[in-house]
């Protein structure tokens, strides 16, 4: 995919390696092997800004993961349909910036949220018009619409001058 003009989704200049096998990568084991990680984790501190990658429309927003650090800091996911793909901007704070919600039209670099105390954006990509995330359980196979975002994210980091280390 051509990523020119696309924006790295997290406000950071350096990200911890998120490739397969790091524990942060696509397909890495979760829940003692009962399921697989459906995305890539982009680590950054709580309240780091999250940006729209390109032109799109917010299609869903719902509680996603219970964060342990702050009792009321439930991590949400924001699903954006970017036309050629849908991204789950996962594990963001419940409170969204003003004017952001389901139905909002976004452009590259728009502020769409902040990271929760999970201290990462859990990033999933779907290849069609999904509006909810799909869990990847052992035995049931990789959900048909779920794509491996690794190469896309590596290219996006490179084009935005974000170091992966
Ligand atoms: Zn994750």
């Amino acid at each position: 995919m051509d990523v020119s003009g696309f924006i790295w989704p997290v406000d950071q200049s350096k990200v911890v390696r998120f490739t397969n096998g790091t524990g942060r990568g696509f397909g890495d084991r979760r829940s003692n092997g009962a399921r697989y990680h459906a995305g890539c984790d982009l680590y950054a501190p709580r309240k780091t800004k999250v940006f729209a990658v390109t032109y799109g429309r917010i299609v869903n927003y719902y509680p996603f993961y219970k964060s342990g650090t702050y009792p009321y800091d439930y991590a949400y996911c924001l699903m954006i349909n970017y036309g050629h793909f849908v991204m789950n901007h996962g594990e963001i704070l419940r409170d969204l910036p003003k004017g952001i919600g389901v139905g909002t039209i976004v452009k590259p670099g728009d502020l769409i949220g902040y990271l929760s105390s999970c201290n990462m954006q859990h990033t999933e990509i779907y290849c069609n018009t999904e509006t909810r995330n799909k869990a990847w359980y052992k035995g049931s196979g990789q959900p048909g619409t779920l794509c491996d975002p690794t190469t896309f994210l590596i290219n996006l980091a490179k084009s935005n001058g974000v170091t992966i280390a």
Side-chain angles (χ1 to χ4, degrees):
M1 194 189 307
D2 180 17
V3 298
S4 54
F6 284 23
I7 301 295
W8 181 251
V10 179
D11 187 13
Q12 60 186 166
S13 57
K14 194 171 157 185
V15 63
V16 180
R17 192 165 295 282
F18 51 81
T19 44
N20 179 272
T22 57
R24 296 170 290 276
F26 185 74
D28 286 349
R29 284 159 51 96
R30 287 289 183 275
S31 310
N32 293 317
R35 63 182 180 89
Y36 299 104
H37 193 220
C40 291
D41 293 333
L42 311 178
Y43 274 72
R46 182 176 186 267
K47 291 202 168 167
T48 298
K49 292 173 181 171
V50 177
F51 303 123
V53 169
T54 182
Y55 297 91
R57 180 175 171 274
I58 298 173
V59 293
N60 213 342
Y61 164 68
Y62 55 91
F64 183 65
Y65 189 83
K66 183 94 172 70
S67 165
T69 314
Y70 296 83
Y72 304 110
D73 199 7
Y74 216 107
Y76 277 59
C77 77
L78 192 69
M79 301 281 288
I80 302 189
N81 188 327
Y82 288 118
H84 297 299
F85 63 98
V86 173
M87 180 178 283
N88 174 6
H89 294 265
E91 301 181 9
I92 64 172
L93 272 180
R94 181 190 59 191
D95 296 325
L96 298 175
K98 210 173 172 185
I100 296 295
V102 175
T104 305
I105 305 292
V106 297
K107 59 183 191 309
D110 277 358
L111 175 65
I112 54 168
Y114 305 92
L115 296 185
S116 71
S117 58
C118 292
N119 301 311
M120 67 173 84
Q121 178 182 280
H122 168 87
T123 313
E124 297 175 355
I125 286 183
Y126 296 89
C127 58
N128 76 349
T129 55
E130 293 292 357
T131 55
R132 288 193 77 88
N133 70 292
K134 300 268 184 281
W136 179 3
Y137 294 106
K138 188 179 182 178
S140 58
Q142 183 178 331
T145 55
L146 179 68
C147 300
D148 182 348
T150 310
T151 304
F152 171 78
L153 289 171
I154 289 170
N155 291 337
L156 192 56
K158 204 175 292 178
S159 71
N160 279 261
V162 173
T163 307
I164 301 171

